[in-house]
Amino acid sequence: MSGRRIGPLVTLAAALAVVAATAGTRSGGTLALQSTGPDTTGAALWAFLQEQDYSNEWALWPGKGRLYEGQEPHGMLLTTYLNDVAANALERGVSSMPAGAIIVKENYMPDETLAAVTVMYKVPGYNADHSDWFFTKHLASGELDKMPNGMAMEGRLPGCQNCHIAKKDNDYIFTGEIKGR
């Protein structure tokens, strides 16, 4: 894990931003929603994931395990983690993920080297045209990846939205079916 963490000062600054933004309202592996809305930045989300120690503490997508076969654009091998909100929703057989659901997909190269970490975070009212998903793509270091035009890969990402819309009837999720589980 240490190779995937961002520098201590950046981590501390981002963690403080999350703490300030959530002001004691964080629990159960979820960024709390406030009346002013959650902090939807890639840096804050990454800091939260590191604080939660998601890769050791969160559930794996049911039936997938670690390093299952993937495909482009994510990677040849994948591991998908769910916070408690998302895991409980899958267990209940929901037709769409509830507010606060977080899905983390680690993207690996064929030699099992971590290439990127992609995240979907369900934020009510954030992105109504795309089921309220906030998307991020982080490099293995934790730094946000950038598109060719220099835009940080966080938020309403056209590439993510345009691909995931193919699974609109499954709440934009490719990893597995969520309805009727």
Side-chain angles (χ1 to χ4, degrees):
M1 280 291 290
S2 63
R4 292 191 278 168
R5 296 186 190 271
I6 53 180
L9 293 177
V10 175
T11 302
L12 177 60
L16 290 174
V18 170
V19 170
T22 58
T25 59
R26 190 178 58 247
S27 67
T30 317
L31 287 175
L33 305 176
Q34 304 175 36
S35 59
T36 58
D39 180 4
T40 48
T41 66
L45 187 53
W46 183 258
F48 177 78
L49 295 173
Q50 298 310 297
E51 177 185 302
Q52 290 288 308
D53 194 16
Y54 77 88
S55 65
N56 290 311
E57 299 296 326
W58 288 12
L60 293 171
W61 187 281
K64 290 293 185 180
R66 296 181 192 277
L67 300 174
Y68 63 90
E69 187 176 332
Q71 62 187 19
E72 291 300 323
H74 288 283
M76 299 310 295
L77 298 169
L78 306 171
T79 301
T80 302
Y81 299 92
L82 305 167
N83 71 345
D84 290 340
V85 174
N88 291 336
L90 280 181
E91 286 177 20
R92 290 190 321 270
V94 299
S95 60
S96 72
M97 287 289 176
I102 302 174
I103 302 170
V104 178
K105 184 168 286 184
E106 292 179 336
N107 307 253
Y108 292 90
M109 294 186 279
D111 68 358
E112 299 183 10
T113 300
L114 182 67
V117 178
T118 53
V119 183
M120 293 174 67
Y121 169 36
K122 184 67 87 100
V123 182
Y126 175 77
N127 190 3
D129 291 340
H130 296 280
S131 196
D132 287 330
W133 287 110
F134 172 84
F135 295 92
T136 66
K137 181 179 180 189
H138 300 267
L139 301 174
S141 66
E143 177 184 352
L144 280 168
D145 198 358
K146 294 189 175 162
M147 293 193 277
N149 67 3
M151 179 180 153
M153 295 190 75
E154 63 182 342
R156 295 175 185 92
L157 296 172
C160 297
Q161 293 174 157
N162 293 339
C163 180
H164 282 260
I165 201 164
K167 286 295 203 170
K168 183 177 183 176
D169 291 341
N170 196 54
D171 198 23
Y172 284 65
I173 298 170
F174 276 94
T175 306
E177 297 299 315
I178 63 171
K179 293 182 180 180
R181 291 184 54 82

